[in-house]
């Protein structure tokens, strides 16, 4: 078993960056800076995906392996500004509204960032009826208060401006906790894999893709896979680790303590079985902690790669994550390390 050193400060910086689908600019700039010296070629395609290529070693036959992690996070766009200056939102990605009460947010305008408060319409608990206290509001009921009058808001905010939830990443025991670990943790994992592979021979040409607009339909990975034309696809994403109170063991999906997830199934794809077996056997041989994963709902960039052109053998590696789609998404440092080790073992020459 290898012991990859990880720059967890880099992961926390990635988590803090804003980047909803279609507005991943800050994350893309960060990734481009970190890729310096790690690839033979780096380009940004028309949709905004970052594609970094490293050529295989030697002159013999080789494949094209595409590994994809998405840069975008769930968030909002401004869809309406009322006369008093309150903002109504369009969600980008799935939210559990129980986690959105009284949240600090940032509205990203052309003139700069504005702090705001996100909360649902209605009476506070002091004057609410018993029925109102039990109600879980729908997303359309939430609004953002910028603390400014209507004219001041309309002078600065436009429909389509990005709104992100505020949270500073931090360490909690062996967990790294913050917003947007879905999927900045996998962006980090892919960057660290490229760093670990620097100077090492590769079995196949590697295309490391940092994709856009995953949370609204795997859109970036669709176009990237069409352009790359991979012979093997690997998606990188988080998955549920519901090994917490109130959930039965059969519903946990993955568990902290059992390793990086090797996806067998989710509602968007069935991983290619030969790849599942290959990665599982490799993990066992290298003593890399791993677990098999079946997720009833959800999808990853792997599904987009798998369905590209005439079809591509594909699987997804999943980071077990607690509290997904909240501002306290939590990943374990051990499984970040395991993910890097497993990818390096697969992508590198057997003698490396």
């Amino acid at each position: 078993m290898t012991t990859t050193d990880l720059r967890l400060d880099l992961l926390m910086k990635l988590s803090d960056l804003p980047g909803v689908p279609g507005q991943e600019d800050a994350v893309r700039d960060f990734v481009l800076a970190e890729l310096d010296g790690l690839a033979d070629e780096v380009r940004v395609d028309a949709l905004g995906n970052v594609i970094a290529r490293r050529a295989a070693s030697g002159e013999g036959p080789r494949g094209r392996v595409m590994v994809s992690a998405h840069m975008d996070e769930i968030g909002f766009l401004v869809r309406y500004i009322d006369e008093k200056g309150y903002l109504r939102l369009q969600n980008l990605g799935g939210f559990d509204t129980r986690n959105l009460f009284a949240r600090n947010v940032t509205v990203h305008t052309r003139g700069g960032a504005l702090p705001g408060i996100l909360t649902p319409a209605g009476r506070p608990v002091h004057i609410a009826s018993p029925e109102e206290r039990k109600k879980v509001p729908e997303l359309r009921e939430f609004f953002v208060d910028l603390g400014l009058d209507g004219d001041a808001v309309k002078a600065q905010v436009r429909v389509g401006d990005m709104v992100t939830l505020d949270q500073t990443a931090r360490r909690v025991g062996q967990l790294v906790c913050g917003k947007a670990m879905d999927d900045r943790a996998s962006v980090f994992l892919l960057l660290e894999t490229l760093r670990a592979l620097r100077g090492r021979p590769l079995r196949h040409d590697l295309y490391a893709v940092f994709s856009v607009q995953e949370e609204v339909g795997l859109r970036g990975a669709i176009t990237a896979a069409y352009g790359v034309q991979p012979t093997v696809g690997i998606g990188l994403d988080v998955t549920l680790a519901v090994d917490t109170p109130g959930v039965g063991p059969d519903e946990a999906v993955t568990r902290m303590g059992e390793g990086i997830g090797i996806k067998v199934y989710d509602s968007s794809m069935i991983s290619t079985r030969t790849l599942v077996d290959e990665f599982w056997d490799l993990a066992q041989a290298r003593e890399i902690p791993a677990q098999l994963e079946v997720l009833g709902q959800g999808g990853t960039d792997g599904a987009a790669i798998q369905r590209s052109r005439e079809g591509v053998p594909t699987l997804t590696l999943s980071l077990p994550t607690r509290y997904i789609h909240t501002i306290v998404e939590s990943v374990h440092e051990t499984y970040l390390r395991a993910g890097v080790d497993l990818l390096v073992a697969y992508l590198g020459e057997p003698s490396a």
Side-chain angles (χ1 to χ4, degrees):
M1 178 179 176
T2 58
T3 53
T4 303
D5 293 326
L6 298 177
R7 300 172 296 168
L8 294 177
D9 60 323
L10 187 81
L11 172 56
M12 291 188 282
K13 290 177 183 177
L14 274 166
S15 173
D16 291 348
L17 291 172
V20 303
Q23 298 186 46
E24 300 93 347
D25 308 65
V27 187
R28 179 166 45 249
D29 290 345
F30 188 94
V31 167
L32 288 170
E34 287 297 322
L35 284 172
D36 185 38
L38 297 182
D40 301 322
E41 175 191 3
V42 179
R43 64 185 177 89
V44 178
D45 70 12
L47 206 63
N49 300 302
V50 177
I51 302 173
R53 181 184 66 85
R54 260 205 64 193
S57 310
E59 301 296 328
R62 59 205 195 192
R64 300 158 67 92
V65 180
M66 174 174 162
V67 186
S68 186
H70 69 89
M71 297 185 289
D72 56 310
E73 64 185 287
I74 59 172
F76 307 94
L77 298 178
V78 176
R79 67 171 176 82
Y80 178 72
I81 307 169
D82 74 16
E83 291 304 311
K84 294 183 178 181
Y86 296 120
L87 310 181
R88 299 289 182 163
L89 304 177
Q90 171 63 49
N91 63 296
L92 297 174
F95 282 95
D96 182 345
T97 56
R98 295 174 298 177
N99 297 316
L100 292 178
F101 283 74
R103 293 295 185 192
N104 291 322
V105 296
T106 298
V107 180
H108 302 264
T109 76
R110 294 181 80 178
L114 296 175
I117 301 163
L118 175 68
T119 196
R123 298 181 180 87
V125 67
H126 308 77
I127 57 175
S129 69
E131 291 74 20
E132 288 172 323
R133 292 174 194 168
K134 296 176 184 177
K135 179 186 175 186
V136 177
E138 298 180 21
L139 197 54
R140 61 180 177 80
E141 299 175 61
F142 282 79
F143 64 92
V144 173
D145 182 354
L146 292 173
L148 300 170
D149 63 37
D151 290 340
V153 172
K154 290 182 178 182
Q156 300 177 73
V157 181
R158 298 187 305 165
V159 169
D161 282 343
M162 170 172 62
V163 181
T164 56
L165 297 164
D166 290 351
Q167 181 73 8
T168 301
R170 61 176 183 158
R171 300 292 301 274
V172 179
Q174 291 184 297
L175 302 178
V176 185
C177 170
K179 75 169 185 67
M181 290 297 169
D182 178 9
D183 192 30
R184 307 286 166 70
S186 296
V187 169
F188 169 76
L189 194 160
L190 186 49
L191 286 171
E192 291 294 87
T193 297
L194 289 169
R195 186 169 70 96
L197 287 169
R198 183 165 46 192
R200 299 182 61 170
L202 299 182
R203 296 169 57 194
H204 304 291
D205 291 342
L206 169 61
Y207 291 80
V209 175
F210 303 86
S211 68
V212 297
Q213 299 189 39
E214 189 270 355
E215 294 289 359
V216 290
L218 317 179
R219 298 175 187 178
I222 291 171
T223 62
Y226 190 90
V228 168
Q229 302 182 53
T231 57
V232 173
I234 302 172
L236 301 179
D237 215 321
V238 298
T239 192
L240 298 178
V242 200
D243 55 343
T244 49
V247 181
D250 62 311
E251 296 180 293
V253 182
T254 61
R255 299 159 186 82
M256 297 295 188
E258 296 186 14
I260 187 75
I262 299 174
K263 187 182 293 290
V264 176
Y265 169 93
D266 65 30
S267 59
S268 71
M269 67 175 283
I270 299 173
S271 293
T272 303
R273 191 66 197 187
T274 53
L275 282 175
V276 171
D277 291 342
E278 183 175 3
F279 271 77
W280 178 257
D281 292 345
L282 187 57
Q284 301 306 300
R286 300 292 182 94
E287 297 183 354
I288 299 169
Q291 58 188 306
L292 298 173
E293 175 219 354
V294 172
L295 178 65
Q297 296 292 326
T300 74
D301 280 354
I305 303 171
Q306 189 180 59
R307 300 178 193 181
S308 180
R309 295 183 182 264
E310 67 269 25
V312 180
T314 303
L315 94 164
T316 292
L317 295 181
S318 303
L319 283 167
T321 304
R322 291 177 181 159
Y323 322 120
I324 283 181
H325 283 204
T326 74
I327 60 169
V328 290
E329 295 176 330
S330 301
V331 297
H332 198 292
E333 60 181 272
T334 300
Y335 309 127
L336 290 163
R337 186 173 294 110
V340 174
D341 290 344
L342 188 53
L343 280 172
V344 168
Y346 177 79
L347 295 167
E349 287 282 9
S351 59

